[in-house]
Amino acid sequence: MTNEVKESFTSDAPPAPAALAAKVRTLAPSMTRSMQRVAEAVAGDPAGCAALTVTGLAELTGTSEATVVRTARLLGYPGYRDLRLALAGLAAQQQSGRAPAVTADIAVDDPIADVVAKLAYDEQQTLADTAAGLDTVQLGAAVAALATARRIDIYGIGASGLVAQDLGQKLLRIGLIAHAHSDPHLAVTNAVQLRSGDVAIAITHSGSTGDVIEPLRVAFDHGATTVAITGRPDGPVTQYADHILTTSTARESELRPAAMSSRTSQLLVVDCLFTCVTQRTYETAAPALAASYEALAHRHSPRTR
């Protein structure tokens, strides 16, 4: 991943304290092991790390001062001083709040009520992490492209394919020409037809799904505006994306595979895209929505004999 691409994930303003933990969870998989140690330390003990100098944190994590500074910058802070301020703010928030009553670790013998509570907590955390880490500048650029697109192609496989279908049908209901593709061959043959003024969206949690990357590359090469919705901002898919929307990277467990958590975060991003596009195209979107509601109304009413 180039420095230019890395910088695209860092907004001009440093992340709010509440976004720090989410950003660590999202970016940690793409960091070097030494940077991961720094990131894990600041997320795990913000109060303790806020009291340390850059030298102290480097010694605590067994790294170097340069590694600490690079980690701070990757997390979105101009320097270590700004990161310390965010850590102090995060520590204050944690001290004033309540500790979660449950964790997401589900045991085979957990009662149903515990499973429900744990899943609900984990879903809430996934949504909060995604919202905190979502770059609104990138989101706004993607919305602008979608609102004026001649045609929109959306690529996704497996669980991401279900999210692609959800976005496609939403955009169709506000009058946009949008198609979701889960067949990789059909996706590529459609991508060949795209050009400037069209938009292609790839949805892949891992950022390395070849069947999704290939049509996005073809669309990119043909001049379409490209968007990647991914949990790995360093993944191969991003090299063909004009705009990158990062989803939360939740912790997997035996009874909760990655596809479950990734779907939750992807659906939030999809809803943000749809709602913001609807706002931007309201004069045409509102009548289109009304027409679709009217066309389907009889299917939701009791039949009369």
Side-chain angles (χ1 to χ4, degrees), residues 1-179:
M1 189 177 187
T2 64
N3 290 334
E4 288 79 5
V5 174
K6 283 183 180 179
E7 288 170 0
S8 71
F9 301 111
T10 303
S11 56
D12 293 334
L20 176 59
K23 199 132 191 178
V24 168
R25 281 187 285 269
T26 298
L27 295 178
S30 64
M31 294 179 178
T32 64
R33 185 63 196 116
S34 58
M35 293 176 74
Q36 284 180 350
R37 289 201 297 272
V38 175
E40 289 166 0
V42 300
D45 183 15
C49 292
L52 296 174
T53 64
V54 64
T55 303
L57 183 55
E59 292 177 350
L60 175 69
T61 55
T63 61
S64 65
E65 294 180 12
T67 297
V68 171
V69 173
R70 282 198 299 270
T71 305
R73 289 176 177 168
L74 183 58
L75 291 174
Y77 302 92
Y80 180 62
R81 176 181 176 277
D82 303 274
L83 176 59
R84 284 184 72 182
L85 291 173
L87 290 174
L90 180 58
Q93 289 180 2
Q94 291 179 342
Q95 289 170 4
S96 63
R98 292 186 304 171
V102 297
T103 68
D105 294 322
I106 299 173
V108 175
D109 57 352
D110 271 350
I112 290 178
D114 286 358
V115 172
V116 172
K118 290 178 179 182
L119 283 175
Y121 171 75
D122 204 37
E123 296 278 327
Q124 291 167 3
Q125 188 63 58
T126 297
L127 291 173
D129 286 355
T130 300
L134 192 58
D135 187 329
T136 54
V137 174
Q138 292 283 311
L139 177 63
V143 167
L146 287 170
T148 58
R150 181 188 70 96
R151 170 179 156 184
I152 301 161
D153 275 12
I154 311 160
Y155 316 123
I157 301 295
S160 296
L162 298 176
V163 178
Q165 291 178 28
D166 182 72
L167 177 57
Q169 67 90 11
K170 279 182 166 71
L171 295 176
L172 281 171
R173 292 193 70 176
I174 57 173
L176 299 181
I177 306 302
H179 300 284

Side-chain angles (χ1 to χ4, degrees), residues 134-266:
L134 192 58
D135 187 329
T136 54
V137 174
Q138 292 283 311
L139 177 63
V143 167
L146 287 170
T148 58
R150 181 188 70 96
R151 170 179 156 184
I152 301 161
D153 275 12
I154 311 160
Y155 316 123
I157 301 295
S160 296
L162 298 176
V163 178
Q165 291 178 28
D166 182 72
L167 177 57
Q169 67 90 11
K170 279 182 166 71
L171 295 176
L172 281 171
R173 292 193 70 176
I174 57 173
L176 299 181
I177 306 302
H179 300 284
H181 303 286
S182 57
D183 182 309
H185 292 177
L186 189 60
V188 171
T189 56
N190 274 269
V192 170
Q193 307 303 321
L194 299 181
R195 60 178 185 268
S196 177
D198 297 331
V199 175
I201 301 174
I203 305 176
T204 164
H205 179 64
S206 69
S208 58
T209 306
D211 288 340
V212 171
I213 295 173
E214 180 62 13
L216 192 73
R217 181 192 65 78
V218 172
F220 181 84
D221 289 344
H222 282 74
T225 298
T226 53
V227 180
I229 299 175
T230 180
R232 293 295 299 271
D234 64 326
V237 71
T238 60
Q239 64 184 308
Y240 304 114
D242 295 308
H243 309 298
I244 302 162
L245 303 177
T246 307
T247 56
S248 169
T249 303
R251 181 167 51 87
E252 290 185 53
S253 67
E254 183 181 6
L255 298 180
R256 192 172 194 270
M260 292 174 66
S261 59
S262 66
R263 181 200 59 210
T264 299
S265 55
Q266 288 168 353

